[in-house]
């Protein structure tokens, strides 16, 4: 007599496997997305920071740079942004495409981290070959310095387009006065995140998703288990 599983036993086993897979797959998928987000944020931060360092090596201290005018989303402000970044930044970035304001493909890039609620239309936009993109808005500009607000999208125009999930803010402040400068950093605040505790950054992220990248940077570019945005 040969021993074998009955059809009922096989179906029950398959059902159990299906239930376990259904329970664990979302957690595995979320973990993978968190790791991908962390890697892309770190890569963008490193790429941008290195570009700034190389620019200073060629053009000298940022106190001698010609700052772009404040960006308001007009053709003139976009042009001023392009002139500034074409000179000081883009020669040190590779595989990047500059989006013109009237390009349809760029109009489809919605910045959900934009506090002005115009989906980033005031930002000059740029796309990397790896499918990520970013935008830059110049604010508070004068002959003595300028603040730069940068948003980064880990998958560009693809969904979910959620601030703190696949879209993140960065800031930087260049100034003649060294004490007024702010290095390129994650988060939307012009306050140095090194002066904030993790508890403060966590609370900031819970209340204002635009600040969430600062928490990830503080955690060594890791999306920890208590990160408030659900993946």
């Amino acid at each position: 007599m040969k021993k074998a599983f009955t059809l009922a036993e096989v179906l029950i086993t398959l059902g159990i496997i299906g239930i376990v897979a259904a329970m664990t797959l979302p957690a595995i998928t979320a973990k993978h997305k968190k790791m991908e987000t962390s890697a892309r944020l770190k890569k963008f931060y490193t790429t941008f920071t290195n570009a700034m360092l190389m620019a200073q090596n060629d053009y000298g201290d940022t106190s001698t740079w010609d700052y772009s005018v404040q960006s308001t989303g007009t053709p003139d402000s976009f042009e001023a942004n392009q002139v500034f970044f074409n000179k000081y930044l883009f020669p040190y970035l590779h595989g990047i495409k500059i989006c013109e304001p009237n390009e349809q493909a760029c109009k489809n890039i919605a910045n959900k981290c934009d506090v002005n609620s115009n989906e980033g239309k005031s930002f000059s936009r740029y796309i990397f070959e790896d499918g990520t993109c970013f935008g830059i808005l110049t604010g508070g500009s004068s002959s003595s310095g300028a603040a730069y607000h940068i948003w980064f999208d880990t998958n560009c125009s693809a969904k979910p387009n959620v601030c703190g999930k696949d879209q993140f803010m960065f800031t930087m402040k260049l100034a003649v006065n060294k004490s007024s400068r702010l290095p390129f950093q994650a988060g939307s605040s012009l306050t140095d995140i090194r002066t904030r505790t993790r508890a403060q950054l966590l609370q900031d992220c819970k209340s204002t998703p635009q600040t969430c990248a600062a928490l990830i940077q503080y955690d060594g570019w890791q999306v920890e288990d208590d990160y408030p945005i659900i993946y």
Side-chain angles (χ1 to χ4, degrees):
M1 180 184 241
K2 294 182 179 180
K3 294 183 179 180
F5 293 108
T6 65
L7 178 60
E9 289 172 330
V10 172
L11 292 176
I12 291 172
T13 302
L14 291 176
I16 293 173
I17 293 174
I19 293 172
V20 172
M23 293 175 61
T24 58
L25 188 59
I28 294 173
T29 302
K31 183 176 181 179
H32 173 73
K33 289 182 178 179
K34 287 180 179 180
M35 292 175 63
E36 183 178 47
T37 297
S38 299
R40 293 199 167 192
L41 280 170
K42 184 177 181 179
K43 179 182 178 182
F44 176 66
Y45 174 82
T46 302
T47 299
F48 204 98
T49 300
N50 288 341
M52 290 297 301
L53 292 174
M54 288 187 284
Q56 290 180 70
N57 184 60
D58 289 344
Y59 290 100
D61 187 80
T62 57
S63 61
T64 64
W65 292 11
D66 299 317
Y67 303 114
S68 52
V69 298
Q70 184 164 339
S71 177
T72 58
T74 64
D76 289 343
S77 65
F78 278 117
E79 179 63 26
N81 257 1
Q82 304 288 34
V83 169
F84 179 84
F85 289 104
N86 281 345
K87 179 178 181 179
Y88 295 113
L89 184 64
F90 296 136
Y92 312 100
L93 295 174
H94 303 287
I96 189 172
K97 176 187 183 307
I98 300 174
C99 289
E100 300 299 334
N102 59 350
E103 284 190 56
Q104 187 59 46
C106 297
K107 288 181 179 179
N108 292 334
I109 302 174
N111 173 14
K112 298 301 183 179
C113 284
D114 181 22
V115 295
N116 295 318
S117 300
N118 68 355
E119 297 194 344
K121 293 181 176 63
S122 297
F123 286 68
S124 297
R125 303 173 181 201
Y126 313 91
I127 302 175
F128 283 114
E129 288 181 339
D130 65 359
T132 62
C133 58
F134 70 100
I136 299 176
L137 176 71
T138 305
S141 179
S142 68
S143 59
S144 61
Y148 296 96
H149 307 275
I150 301 111
W151 64 271
F152 174 67
D153 193 322
T154 60
N155 56 12
C156 212
S157 58
K159 293 182 179 181
N161 289 331
V162 173
C163 190
K165 191 169 187 177
D166 63 334
Q167 295 188 347
F168 302 89
M169 294 298 299
F170 289 79
T171 54
M172 175 177 65
K173 187 176 182 181
L174 306 180
V176 173
N177 187 345
K178 291 185 178 181
S179 63
S180 300
R181 297 177 189 175
L182 185 70
F184 180 62
Q185 64 173 21
S188 60
S189 174
L190 287 173
T191 300
D192 194 331
I193 64 173
R194 292 171 296 186
T195 65
R196 309 277 291 169
T197 66
R198 188 182 189 281
Q200 290 173 324
L201 293 174
L202 180 61
Q203 183 57 45
D204 291 342
C205 180
K206 289 179 179 179
S207 60
T208 311
Q210 288 82 1
T211 68
C212 286
L215 176 62
I216 296 175
Q217 180 177 358
Y218 185 94
D219 287 334
W221 301 109
Q222 298 296 320
V223 182
E224 299 292 354
D225 291 339
D226 61 347
Y227 186 70
I229 307 298
I230 299 176
Y231 274 77

